Amino acid sequence: MTTNDFYALSPLLAVGAAALAVMIGISVKRSMTATAGLTVAGLFVSFAMLFPAASIAPRIVTPLLVIDGYALFYMGLVLAGTLTVVLLSLEYLRDRGAHPEEYYILLLLAAFGSMTLVASRHFGSLFLGLEILSVSLYGLIAYVRGNEKGIEAGIKYLVLAAVSAAFLVFGMALVYTATGSLEFSRIGAGATPTDPLFLAGAAMIIVGMGFKLAVVPFHLWTPDVYEGAPAPVTAFIATVSKGAVFALLLRLAGPFHILDHPTLFTVFSVIAVGSIFAGNLLALSQGNIKRILAYSSIAHLGYLLVAFLAGGVKGATAATYYLSAYFVTTLGAFGVISLRSGRDREREYIHDYRGLAWRRPWLAGVFTAMLLSLAGIPLTAGFIGKFYAISAGVGSSLWFQVVSVAIGSAIGLFYYLRVISVMYAQPERHSGGRQAVARAISFGGGMILALLTLGLILLGVWPSPLIGLITRAVSGMN
Amino acid sequence: MTVEWLILIPLIGGVLAWIGGRRSSLLPRLISVASLGAGLAMTASLWNASPPVAGRTAGQAWIAEFNTSWIPQLGIGFHLGLDGLSLLLVLLTFFLGIVGVLCSWNEIKERTGFFHLNLMLVLTGIVGVFLSLDLFLFYFFWELMLVPMYFLISIWGHEKRAYASVKFFIFTQLSGILMLLGILGLYFIHGRSTGIYTFDYTQLLGTRLTPGQSLWLMLGFAAAFAVKLPAVPFHSWLPDAHSEAPTAGSLILAGLLLKTGAYGFIRFLVPLFPDAVESVRLIGMVLSAAGILYGAALAFSQEDLKRLIAYTSISHMGFVMLGIFAWNELSLQGAVIQMVCHGFSTGALFVLAGILQARLHTREMSAMGGLWAVTPRMAGMGLFFGLASLGLPGLGNFIGEFLVLLGSYRVSGLVTAAAATGLIASALYSLRLMQRVFHGPKRDDLTMADIAVRETTILAVMAAVIVVIGLYPGPVLETSKPAVEGLIQKGNPSLTPPGRGPGAVKPGGESSGEMLR
C-alpha cells in the first residue's frame, strides 16, 4: 500500500481508530463526557479527511475497497448521520443510568461498517461491512437493559439479521459459482444474466439486502424494532443503516444488470409498489408514532426504489438526493421523539403530543416541518426529493410505479396529518400535572433540531448545490 | 422589477405578523392589513403604469416579468410574469386578503399571530400561482397554498373541522400529484424532441405532442384544476371545507382558491394542449352546465347557511368553466368578470354568514328568520349580495354570466340553453336564502346587534365594486383583453399559424368591446 492509499482510506481509518481510542479510554476511566467528546472528535476528524481523500479519488485500494466520489459522498452522509445520533443520545443515555460509555463504541463500529459497505467493490468487504454494522446494532437496539421491549426487539433483529446474512452468503456463493469471481466488476463481466445459478444467487442477495432495507415482503421486523429500540438508535437504523445498504444496491445495479434484466426489474418493481402500499396502508391504523414512522419508512424505501428503477445517472442522483433529504427529515423526527422522552418512558404515543403546539411551539414546529417533509410538501427537502424521484420515474416512463408513488403519498397524508392535527388540537385541561413532568429541551438538543430544520428548508428551497455535488459523485461511479 | 415583491410582501408580512403575535393580538392584524395594503397599492400602480392596450400586441402581454435561474440542473427557473389576467386576480387576492383580516378581527381570539401567518402564507401561495410562468414554480406555489389552508380550517374551524380539513387536503394533494405527472411528462417530451429540458411555460408552449400524449397529459393537469374549480364529479370536498372553515378561510377558499383552478385552465391547460381540449370541449361544456344546475339544485335544498353558499359557488364556477371551454373572447372575458365578481359577491355572503354565526352561534337557517326587523343594515346588505348572486342586471355577476352565455352559444346552443336555466335556479336559491334568513316570522327571543361600522364598511366597499363592474366593466375588460387575445391564439387549434387560420372563432374579438361600450 502506498501513502496515497492511506490517504484514500483515512476517513475509514479515523473512525476505526476512534472506536479503539474510546475502548481504551473507557478501560482507563469511565467518563461519559470524555467518551462522547472522543467520539465526536473522531467523527469530525474522519469527516475532515474526506477532503484530502476526495483529491485523490477515484482510487481502488486493495481488491476490496474503492474510494470514489460516490463512496466519499455516502461516507459523509453516514458520518453526519452518526454525529447527529451521538448528539441526540447524550441526554437520552444520561437519563437511563448505568454504563452509557460502550454505546459509543458500538455506534462508531456501526458507522465503520456502513462506511465499509458504501466503499466496497468485493463480496468480502460487503459481507464484513454488513456484519460489523449488524452486530453493533444488536447491541445498540437492546442497550437499555431495563426495557423489555428493547431486548425483545434486539433478539428479533438478531434472528432476522442472521437469517438474512445466511441468505446473503449463500447468494454470494452461488454467484461465485456462476461467475468465478467475488469482485463486482468481474462478476459484471463474467455473468450471463440468464444463467439460473447466477439468477438464484442474485435473488438470494436481494433477499438479504431486502431485510436490511425493510422492504416488502421483508419488512415484518421493522415496526417492532423501531418501537423497541431507543429512539436515537431507531434514527440510526432508519437512516445510516438503510442508507448504506441502499448505496450498495445502487453500486451493484450496474454489474448485476438489475435494470436490464426483465425478471429482476419486475421483482424490484413489485417490491417497490408493494412497499409503497403496504407501508402506507399499515401506517394508517397505528397509534404509536415510532410505529407510524416505521411503516412510513417502508413506504419511503418504496419511493426510493422507484428512483432506483429509473436507472442511469439521473435515477441514481434522484435516489441519492431523496436519501439525503430522508436523512435530514428522519433524524429530525426521531430527534424530536428522543429529546422529548422522559426519564420513565419515551413519549411515543400520539396522545403524548396532544396540544404540543401550544405548550412547545418551537418543538412542534420542528416536528411539523419534519412530517410535512415526509409528506413531500413544498419548502421542505422532502418535496424536492419526491419531485426528483417522480421526475426520474417519469423520465424512464415507469408510469405504473410513478402512479403508485402518487397514490401512496396521498394515503400517507392521512397519518402525517393525523399527528399534526393532534399537535395543534386543544390540550387536555385535566392532564396538566403529567405534562409538567416533561422536561425542557436542552440547549444542545435544541441546536441540533434547529440545524436540521434549517437544513431541511435549505434543501427545500435551494437544492442546486447539493444536486450538483451528487451529480458529480454519481457520475464518477464504476 | 416589482413583480417578485408581490410575493415577498405577503410572505414577509406574514412572518412579521407571527412574531408580532407574541406581543399583542392587535399587532398581527395591523401588520397584515398594512402589508396587504402595500401589495394592493403596488399592483394598482403597475396597472396604472402599464402601457396602453394599443401599444401592446397580443403576443407581448406581460406588464412585468421577472426571470432568474433557480435549479439549473433540472431546467427550473424562478420565472414570474404579470399580464392583464393575472393583474386582475392579484388585485382580487390582495383585496379579499384585507377583507379576510378585517372580518376575522373579532372572530379569531386565540393565537392570532399564527392565524395571520397562515392567512398570509395562503395569500402568498395564491399570488405565486397567479404569477408563475415556470411549471415547477407553479406546482410549488400550488402545493404551498394547501398547508396553511389546512391549518386555517383544522385549528380555527367549526365542529367537523378535522374531517373537512383532511378531506380538503387529500383531494387537492392527490390531484396535484397527477398534475405533477402531467408536468413531468410534458417536460420530458419537450426535452427529448428539442434537447432543451426546461419547465419554462413560454418554451413549453407549442410542444409537439401526439394526440394520445396530449390527451393524457391534459387529463393530469385537468385533474388538479377540476378539483380546485371544482367541476362537478370532483366537488365533494368543497361544501365541507367551506362550511367548516372560519370566515376568513371560507372567504379565501371561495373568493380565491377556486379561481386558481380556473386560472390554471385558462393559463396552462388550454394553451398547452389545445388539440386535446378541442377534442373534449363538448364534454367540458356539458360538465359545466351540469355543475351549474347541480350546484343550484343542491344549494336550494340546504339548511346550513354556509353550505348553501358553498353550493352556489359550484354553480357559479360552472359558468366560469363553461366560458373557458367555449374558448372565445366573449366567453373568456365573461369568465374573467365572473371570477372577479364571484370573489366579491360570494365572499361577502360568507362574511355575512360569519357575522350571523358569530351572533347566533348557528348556521342553521331554521334558527333564523325575520332578521330584517332586527338588523336592517345587515339585511339590506344580504339582499344586495343575494341579488348580485342571482345575476341581477346592473351588477357585475350579470355581465359575467351574460358574456359567458353569449360566447358559449356560438359553440353549442343546446348546452348554453341548459346552462341558462341555471339563472332561474339561482334566482330560486337566492330568494329562498333571503326569505328564510331575513323575512318570515321572527323568533320572539331573538335579539342581536346590527353590523358595526367595520363590517358595514367592508361590505359597502365590496358592493360598490360589484356595482361599478356591473355598470362600467370597460376598464376590467380592457385590462384582460390583451392577455385573453394572446391566450386565445395559443389555445386555438384551428388557428395554427397565428392569425391566418379560418376566422370562425374570431368574430367575438371585435364585438365584445363595442357591445359593452
Side-chain angles (χ1 to χ4, degrees):
Chain A
M1 282 174 72
T2 64
T3 331
N4 271 355
D5 285 348
F6 276 104
Y7 264 124
L9 282 185
S10 55
L12 210 52
L13 297 176
V15 173
L20 282 177
V22 170
M23 204 188 307
I24 296 168
I26 293 172
S27 66
V28 176
K29 183 177 182 334
R30 277 198 176 273
S31 154
M32 164 111 173
T33 325
T35 316
L38 209 54
T39 311
V40 171
L43 292 170
F44 265 113
V45 169
S46 171
F47 197 88
M49 294 314 283
L50 291 174
F51 298 96
S55 65
I56 51 168
R59 189 173 184 87
I60 293 175
V61 188
T62 74
L64 294 179
L65 297 172
V66 54
I67 307 293
D68 52 6
Y70 178 78
L72 290 172
F73 178 83
Y74 270 98
M75 282 185 183
L77 213 54
V78 166
L79 288 168
T82 313
L83 184 66
T84 316
V85 171
V86 169
L87 297 176
L88 289 174
S89 311
L90 291 176
E91 282 170 68
Y92 189 93
L93 289 175
R94 195 175 295 149
D95 285 347
R96 278 167 184 64
H99 305 313
E101 289 82 10
E102 281 82 356
Y103 178 91
Y104 295 100
I105 306 176
L106 292 173
L107 210 51
L108 281 170
L109 284 175
F112 183 80
S114 308
M115 288 165 74
T116 314
L117 216 49
V118 300
S120 59
R121 58 183 295 277
H122 189 280
F123 274 145
S125 48
L126 189 166
F127 189 69
L128 282 176
L130 204 64
E131 282 306 287
I132 295 175
L133 173 63
S134 300
V135 172
S136 323
L137 282 179
Y138 305 151
L140 284 171
I141 292 171
Y143 199 84
V144 180
R145 265 156 293 170
N147 180 0
E148 282 171 30
K149 269 195 203 163
I151 292 171
E152 183 196 328
I155 292 181
K156 203 166 226 165
Y157 191 77
L158 168 76
V159 172
L160 285 174
V163 172
S164 77
F167 269 97
L168 199 64
V169 175
F170 197 9
M172 287 174 188
L174 288 178
V175 169
Y176 179 67
T177 319
T179 62
S181 175
L182 289 172
E183 264 177 55
F184 298 164
S185 50
R186 292 224 204 124
I187 291 170
T192 38
T194 45
D195 182 358
L197 219 51
F198 174 78
L199 269 186
M204 298 191 99
I205 293 176
I206 292 173
V207 171
M209 290 174 73
F211 268 111
K212 282 279 179 251
L213 291 175
V215 287
V216 168
F218 318 112
H219 64 285
L220 294 169
W221 58 272
T222 327
D224 292 338
V225 170
Y226 269 50
E227 188 188 355
V233 176
T234 314
F236 189 88
I237 299 173
T239 55
V240 177
S241 148
K242 286 189 186 179
V245 178
F246 195 85
L248 183 73
L249 181 67
L250 276 175
R251 201 187 272 286
L252 285 178
F256 275 69
H257 309 290
I258 291 176
L259 303 174
D260 313 328
H261 197 288
T263 316
L264 290 180
F265 190 86
T266 314
V267 166
F268 272 99
S269 296
V270 170
I271 291 179
V273 173
S275 303
I276 291 172
F277 282 105
N280 279 319
L281 290 173
L282 290 170
L284 288 176
S285 56
Q286 304 299 324
N288 179 320
I289 291 185
K290 282 169 94 180
R291 290 182 85 90
I292 290 181
L293 288 175
Y295 284 113
S296 109
S297 81
I298 297 172
H300 278 278
L301 260 295
Y303 305 150
L304 252 178
L305 283 178
V306 171
F308 164 75
L309 285 170
V313 171
K314 178 131 192 148
T317 312
T320 307
Y321 191 90
Y322 195 100
L323 205 58
S324 316
Y326 184 68
F327 261 59
V328 176
T329 311
T330 309
L331 287 171
F334 281 108
V336 171
I337 295 176
S338 39
L339 291 178
R340 276 207 79 217
S341 51
R343 223 169 268 277
D344 48 342
R345 65 177 184 92
E346 291 184 2
R347 302 276 181 267
E348 56 187 317
Y349 292 101
I350 285 194
H351 59 74
D352 292 329
Y353 287 77
R354 194 175 171 82
L356 185 73
W358 314 122
R359 282 177 284 123
R360 299 269 181 78
W362 289 105
L363 196 64
V366 170
F367 205 36
T368 308
M370 298 302 160
L371 289 168
L372 290 178
S373 175
L374 285 171
I377 304 295
L379 288 181
T380 63
F383 170 72
I384 304 281
K386 188 164 283 175
F387 169 78
Y388 216 150
I390 292 181
S391 150
V394 172
S396 302
S397 307
L398 307 174
W399 291 105
F400 174 65
Q401 291 88 331
V402 163
V403 169
S404 309
V405 174
I407 298 172
S409 22
I411 302 173
L413 279 176
F414 271 109
Y415 52 85
Y416 296 128
L417 286 182
R418 191 154 72 102
V419 180
I420 292 176
S421 52
V422 165
M423 283 198 291
Y424 289 86
Q426 290 298 329
E428 292 163 61
R429 300 255 181 258
H430 58 84
S431 57
R434 197 186 68 199
Q435 269 134 19
V437 179
R439 299 173 316 160
I441 302 300
S442 73
F443 177 75
M447 283 304 290
I448 300 166
L449 289 186
L451 281 177
L452 285 171
T453 313
L454 204 66
L456 187 85
I457 291 168
L458 202 64
L459 290 184
V461 294
W462 195 43
S464 46
L466 184 66
I467 293 179
L469 185 67
I470 293 175
T471 314
R472 276 202 303 282
V474 165
S475 20
M477 185 169 48
N478 302 328
Chain B
M1 162 65 199
T2 41
V3 66
E4 68 274 19
W5 282 98
L6 296 179
I7 291 173
L8 289 175
I9 286 175
L11 182 67
I12 297 170
V15 174
L16 289 180
W18 185 34
I19 298 168
R22 297 172 153 253
R23 302 192 71 106
S24 80
S25 63
L26 182 66
L27 215 50
R29 304 182 205 281
L30 293 178
I31 293 172
S32 306
V33 169
S35 53
L36 291 171
L40 188 67
M42 187 174 275
T43 322
S45 77
L46 278 173
W47 193 8
N48 230 0
S50 67
V53 177
R56 270 180 284 140
T57 57
Q60 307 158 312
W62 307 121
I63 297 169
E65 215 180 335
F66 176 78
N67 195 356
T68 183
S69 148
W70 184 15
I71 310 177
Q73 291 97 334
L74 298 173
I76 294 169
F78 204 92
H79 191 181
L80 304 171
L82 183 87
D83 67 355
L85 173 66
S86 31
L87 184 121
L88 288 175
L89 291 170
V90 171
L91 274 178
L92 181 73
T93 308
F94 283 121
F95 188 93
L96 289 186
I98 296 176
V99 173
V101 177
L102 292 178
C103 76
S104 45
W105 205 274
N106 291 333
E107 183 187 342
I108 305 299
K109 296 192 180 66
E110 291 184 336
R111 293 149 200 153
T112 45
F114 193 52
F115 176 83
H116 286 90
L117 172 71
N118 283 310
L119 193 69
M120 300 295 269
L121 283 181
V122 179
L123 296 173
T124 309
I126 293 171
V127 173
V129 162
F130 290 147
L131 294 179
S132 301
L133 287 182
D134 182 282
L135 289 181
F136 178 85
L137 190 65
F138 174 71
Y139 178 70
F140 181 87
F141 283 122
W142 185 265
E143 294 284 293
L144 191 64
M145 302 186 289
L146 298 187
V147 180
M149 195 68 223
Y150 165 80
F151 279 130
L152 284 182
I153 302 175
S154 77
I155 300 179
W156 293 274
H158 304 305
E159 310 80 37
K160 278 168 62 192
R161 56 178 178 265
Y163 171 75
S165 56
V166 171
K167 190 169 176 183
F168 160 75
F169 202 115
I170 287 171
F171 263 73
T172 39
Q173 170 82 13
L174 179 61
S175 63
I177 294 182
L178 293 178
M179 173 170 78
L180 175 65
L181 296 184
I183 292 176
L184 286 168
L186 187 63
Y187 166 79
F188 281 107
I189 290 168
H190 179 263
R192 277 183 199 135
S193 62
T194 62
I196 303 166
Y197 285 89
T198 176
F199 285 95
D200 197 289
Y201 165 73
T202 50
Q203 295 195 43
L204 289 173
L205 278 173
T207 304
R208 277 174 206 287
L209 301 165
T210 65
Q213 287 171 339
S214 181
L215 184 69
W216 280 105
L217 297 179
M218 189 275 290
L219 287 177
F221 278 75
F225 301 148
V227 166
K228 263 294 172 28
L229 189 73
V232 139
F234 312 106
H235 66 283
S236 83
W237 62 272
L238 182 136
D240 290 314
H242 279 56
S243 51
E244 298 304 325
T247 306
S250 308
L251 172 77
I252 286 175
L253 273 170
L256 300 172
L257 230 61
L258 307 191
K259 272 54 177 198
T260 60
Y263 178 81
F265 270 115
I266 299 177
R267 170 78 69 209
F268 295 103
L269 188 94
V270 186
L272 286 172
F273 312 106
D275 301 301
V277 173
E278 177 70 30
S279 66
V280 298
R281 164 163 304 170
L282 209 59
I283 301 174
M285 288 179 72
V286 169
L287 276 182
S288 319
I292 294 172
L293 297 175
Y294 177 81
L298 279 179
F300 184 75
S301 56
Q302 296 304 314
E303 278 300 310
D304 181 320
L305 182 57
K306 282 180 93 172
R307 262 188 119 76
L308 188 157
I309 305 171
Y311 278 111
T312 69
S313 282
I314 299 180
S315 180
H316 287 143
M317 292 309 284
F319 278 105
V320 174
M321 191 168 144
L322 185 67
I324 293 167
F325 273 98
W327 203 254
N328 52 53
E329 184 168 345
L330 271 180
S331 73
L332 266 186
Q333 287 280 41
V336 173
I337 296 264
Q338 172 79 349
M339 276 155 76
V340 175
C341 291
H342 172 258
F344 283 103
S345 67
T346 308
L349 283 176
F350 273 121
V351 172
L352 278 170
I355 295 172
L356 275 170
Q357 180 167 20
R359 295 175 195 198
L360 297 174
H361 304 291
T362 177
R363 303 190 299 268
E364 292 297 316
M365 286 196 289
S366 54
M368 303 169 188
L371 295 184
W372 197 290
V374 191
T375 56
R377 256 176 300 162
M378 188 199 296
M381 287 295 178
L383 179 63
F384 178 87
F385 290 109
L387 291 178
S389 174
L390 71 76
L392 189 76
L395 301 179
N397 305 51
F398 170 73
I399 308 275
E401 286 165 13
F402 182 71
L403 285 179
V404 166
L405 292 173
L406 212 56
S408 69
Y409 187 75
R410 293 162 192 264
V411 184
S412 164
L414 202 63
V415 176
T416 311
T421 57
L423 288 174
I424 304 171
S426 69
L428 281 176
Y429 63 68
S430 298
L431 293 177
R432 177 169 170 272
L433 167 76
M434 280 309 294
Q435 209 271 326
R436 293 287 304 271
V437 177
F438 295 111
H439 294 276
K442 180 174 95 71
R443 266 173 39 210
D444 292 336
D445 52 338
L446 195 119
T447 51
M448 64 177 196
D450 205 344
I451 46 177
V453 179
R454 173 178 53 84
E455 292 151 338
T456 317
T457 315
I458 305 172
L459 294 170
V461 173
M462 293 171 92
V465 174
I466 294 179
V467 172
V468 169
I469 296 180
L471 295 178
Y472 184 51
V476 176
L477 290 170
E478 272 173 26
T479 307
S480 57
K481 190 174 157 73
V484 165
E485 280 175 350
L487 286 164
I488 284 183
Q489 277 194 1
K490 287 169 198 150
N492 217 319
S494 55
L495 295 174
T496 11
R500 231 184 302 149
V505 195
K506 198 68 185 161
E510 310 304 322
S511 48
S512 85
E514 287 162 23
M515 194 176 301
L516 294 160
R517 235 157 262 231

